[in-house]
Amino acid sequence: MDEERALYIVRAGEAGAIERVLRDYSDKHRATFKFESTDEDKRKKLCEGIFKVLVKDIPTTCQVSCLEVLRILSRDKKVLVPVTTKENMQILLRLAKLNESDDSLEKVSEFPVIVESLKCLCNIVFNSQMAQQLSLELNLAAKLCNLLRKCKDRKFINDIKCFDLRLLFLLSLLHTDIRSQLRYELQGLPLLTQILESAFSIKWTDEYESAIDHNGPPLSPQETDCAIEALKALFNVTVDSWKVHKESDSHQFRVMAAVLRHCLLIVGPTEDKTEELHSNAVNLLSNVPVSCLDVLICPLTHEETAQEATTLDELPSDKTAEKETVLKNNTMVYNGMNMEAIHVLLNFMEKRIDKGSSYREGLTPVLSLLTECSRAHRNIRKFLKDQVLPPLRDVTNRPEVGSTVRNKLVRLMTHVDLGVKQIAAEFLFVLCKERVDSLLKYTGYGNAAGLLAARGLLAGGRGDNWYSEDEDTDTEEYKNAKPKRADVKDLYQDGG
């Protein structure tokens, strides 16, 4: 009945009546995602009628009402079959200012129309294979990049940027050819990185270092959503970069990694939004060539160095083992380097472990990232070893028993999911510089057996990668217990 009344007014009514009836329809069906099949034909005709109205000279408010209803109806894939034509797509492109040749967006009154048009295009492209094909024919990706360039530094049009980015993400997800076009022809990597810089209001203090205000306000919901969409689009653009990249691209990847470091050190409007933001940053960091991840850590400034020296002097003399890692003014310092971002990644990993579910999707990306960082960058490995595998003092409990990060990771070494099991073991093995004796000390033979068997190292030895020969000091507790108690040996051999 709603469709019949709306269709009658859309076909015969004037702009004011059309706006009123469509606003009523939109209010009633705003949360509708499943539709009755009996009214399918009426909804198709209503869509066709709305497109005929949109080509007329009607007020902006009427355009918005038309587009809102079209967005709701476009949730139904079957309805889109007859209305997804090149002509109708071009109508939406025009309303979204995707066909405009001028370099400005001046009419604020048009912004709601642009946003609703982009929302419609998102639904239609997602739900219609014909629309996906037409997007290639109409070169939609290039038009979206052009619109982004018009509004990349203008904060008051975040909604336009957000849905432009969402549509760009969908296109690059659905068409692998568009990823290549975005990367090389449309210069999507620097463009999307600049969008992130704008969302985070980054102020650079050095080539790859940004100023972090730990006491500043959180990101707004709009800035957070815009950043998340940009991160997702960048992920698709760079999805194969860790395998093949030109040396000349290293600077751009380092800039992006520096922006992602900034992202890890700020918070969103809510805890859930912060986790979503950081999760997407982790996924994108996994695409960065590992040689460019050195920018995640940086030398201390003169002021921070002075603060570190003061903190070290304040530590008791018998705490020499702990002196390498200090926390001062929210800055995690290790061996003269700022390790804040790595510490955030470590905390993120532990939270994902504590969730106890969806390990493959939620945990393995950050574990893989930390493993590769540790393998390639000595300071990161040493810091993580200090945090995850501190000097062993508890020699009475099995390695998997307890609530430390080490205990939690050791438990994962016998997880039922093979992928989770392998990456947890690999991470700990790398922290041990791929030395079998060191791994056994911290994890026990039973827990490590799967990794060692896969590597052909059950008889001992070490892995294929080279690591520096810094000392791996045993605690007095471990030294005393190891030769005196036979059950300690058994403990570390039966720890699985």
Side-chain angles (χ1 to χ4, degrees):
M1 188 67 183
D2 291 334
E3 286 80 5
E4 280 187 12
R5 177 170 174 266
L7 181 58
Y8 176 79
I9 299 297
V10 164
R11 283 176 169 174
E14 45 84 31
I18 293 173
E19 181 181 344
R20 285 191 296 273
V21 73
L22 292 182
R23 193 187 304 126
D24 289 343
Y25 186 93
S26 177
D27 291 340
K28 185 172 181 179
H29 295 280
R30 197 173 301 278
T32 301
F33 288 87
K34 291 185 178 180
F35 300 88
E36 296 292 334
S37 58
T38 53
D39 295 325
E40 185 179 307
D41 189 57
K42 295 173 185 176
R43 291 195 300 276
K44 290 177 182 177
K45 291 178 179 178
L46 181 56
C47 283
E48 292 170 343
I50 287 173
F51 274 111
K52 289 177 181 177
V53 172
L54 286 171
V55 297
K56 299 178 182 178
D57 184 16
I58 56 176
T60 299
T61 53
C62 186
Q63 287 179 325
V64 171
S65 295
C66 287
L67 291 165
E68 285 178 346
V69 173
L70 186 60
R71 171 170 53 83
I72 292 169
L73 295 175
S74 63
R75 296 167 182 167
D76 183 356
K77 294 182 180 181
K78 295 179 180 179
V79 164
L80 294 176
V81 174
V83 298
T84 305
T85 64
K86 186 175 182 178
E87 292 74 18
N88 287 342
M89 288 284 285
Q90 287 175 322
I91 291 171
L92 292 175
L93 296 185
R94 176 178 57 80
L95 292 171
K97 298 297 179 184
L98 291 170
N99 283 337
E100 297 294 313
S101 58
D102 62 321
D103 295 326
S104 61
L105 293 170
E106 298 298 338
K107 294 183 180 179
V108 177
S109 61
E110 293 180 341
F111 290 174
V113 176
I114 299 173
V115 171
E116 283 300 326
S117 299
L118 289 170
K119 288 180 181 179
C120 287
L121 285 167
C122 285
N123 280 2
I124 292 171
V125 168
F126 181 72
N127 285 320
S128 169
Q129 289 187 347
M130 176 59 72
Q132 293 163 21
Q133 190 59 42
L134 286 170
S135 297
L136 292 175
E137 186 179 335
L138 295 168
N139 202 12
L140 181 53
K143 297 178 188 297
L144 289 167
C145 287
N146 187 46
L147 181 59
L148 277 178
R149 290 187 177 93
K150 295 178 188 177
C151 61
K152 66 181 180 182
D153 295 321
R154 302 177 64 178
K155 290 183 176 297
F156 59 90
I157 48 179
N158 271 323
D159 282 346
I160 295 177
K161 285 191 283 188
C162 184
F163 288 101
D164 185 309
L165 289 164
R166 184 170 298 179
L167 186 50
L168 204 57
F169 164 72
L170 284 173
L171 287 174
S172 56
L173 178 69
L174 296 165
H175 287 290
T176 55
D177 291 346
I178 287 181
R179 296 175 195 171
S180 179
Q181 182 191 15
L182 280 169
R183 175 75 186 278
Y184 299 108
E185 179 187 332
L186 300 175
Q187 295 297 299
L189 182 56
L191 173 62
L192 293 169
T193 302
Q194 288 167 13
I195 292 293
L196 278 178
E197 283 186 53
S198 176
F200 298 145
S201 302
I202 288 181
K203 294 181 175 62
W204 295 105
T205 59
D206 205 342
E207 187 175 25
Y208 303 123
E209 294 178 37
S210 61
I212 304 292
D213 183 3
H214 292 290
N215 298 316
L219 289 180
S220 70
Q222 294 80 11
E223 289 167 338
T224 305
D225 288 341
C226 187
I228 288 171
E229 295 301 334
L231 290 167
K232 288 159 59 177
L234 265 170
F235 179 87
N236 286 346
V237 172
T238 61
V239 71
D240 294 321
S241 300
W242 66 275
K243 294 179 182 176
V244 179
H245 74 286
K246 299 177 184 176
E247 190 62 33
S248 58
D249 293 336
S250 292
H251 169 69
Q252 188 57 54
F253 279 115
R254 279 191 162 85
V255 172
M256 186 175 76
V259 172
L260 294 175
R261 177 183 183 273
H262 188 101
C263 176
L264 292 171
L265 300 181
I266 58 179
V267 296
T270 65
E271 187 175 341
D272 286 346
K273 276 296 180 182
T274 299
E275 183 173 351
E276 185 180 359
L277 185 70
H278 289 176
S279 178
N280 281 283
V282 166
N283 291 340
L284 182 52
L285 280 168
S286 300
N287 288 350
V288 176
V290 70
S291 61
C292 299
L293 292 175
D294 54 345
V295 301
L296 290 178
I297 60 176
C298 56
L300 300 182
T301 64
H302 292 303
E303 181 182 352
E304 288 172 334
T305 302
Q307 290 173 350
E308 180 194 17
T310 301
T311 306
L312 287 171
D313 290 339
E314 292 170 355
L315 287 175
S317 58
D318 62 342
K319 294 291 185 180
T320 53
E322 285 82 2
K323 278 193 174 186
E324 285 185 289
T325 304
V326 294
L327 181 63
K328 187 73 172 178
N329 293 343
N330 294 318
T331 300
M332 182 63 69
V333 175
Y334 180 84
N335 201 22
M337 304 293 287
N338 185 322
M339 292 287 180
E340 288 179 281
I342 305 301
H343 194 244
V344 170
L345 290 173
L346 185 60
N347 288 337
F348 180 86
M349 178 202 73
E350 188 172 7
K351 286 180 182 176
R352 287 294 170 95
I353 294 176
D354 291 343
K355 279 192 171 182
S357 61
S358 302
Y359 281 157
R360 182 172 287 272
E361 299 80 13
L363 177 62
T364 54
V366 67
L367 260 178
S368 297
L369 175 63
L370 290 174
T371 301
E372 292 307 312
C373 284
S374 299
R375 185 177 278 123
H377 302 288
R378 179 173 179 265
N379 273 321
I380 294 177
R381 175 181 56 78
K382 292 187 69 177
F383 170 74
L384 288 171
K385 170 76 179 299
D386 183 74
Q387 298 292 305
V388 176
L389 301 176
L392 192 60
R393 301 186 187 281
D394 180 7
V395 293
T396 60
N397 290 312
R398 291 179 179 275
E400 68 272 20
V401 176
S403 58
T404 67
V405 182
R406 174 178 75 103
N407 303 142
K408 295 172 183 178
L409 285 166
V410 171
R411 286 196 288 271
L412 289 179
M413 293 175 76
T414 53
H415 196 272
V416 293
D417 188 303
L418 183 60
V420 174
K421 174 180 175 178
Q422 287 176 334
I423 191 58
E426 184 76 11
F427 177 52
L428 291 174
F429 195 40
V430 169
L431 293 190
C432 292
K433 296 186 290 186
E434 300 192 20
R435 286 171 43 187
V436 172
D437 58 343
S438 181
L439 182 69
L440 294 180
K441 181 175 81 172
Y442 287 106
T443 69
Y445 188 86
N447 292 313
L451 173 74
L452 299 180
R455 293 289 197 93
L457 295 171
L458 283 172
R462 66 187 307 167
D464 298 329
N465 292 287
W466 181 88
Y467 296 88
S468 60
E469 292 298 330
D470 47 294
E471 284 191 30
D472 190 14
T473 306
D474 288 335
T475 61
E476 287 301 317
E477 291 91 338
Y478 184 77
K479 287 178 181 178
N480 292 334
K482 187 175 180 182
K484 292 179 181 178
R485 292 182 54 189
D487 59 331
V488 172
K489 180 182 177 183
D490 295 338
L491 170 68
Y492 282 92
Q493 287 187 338
D494 299 330

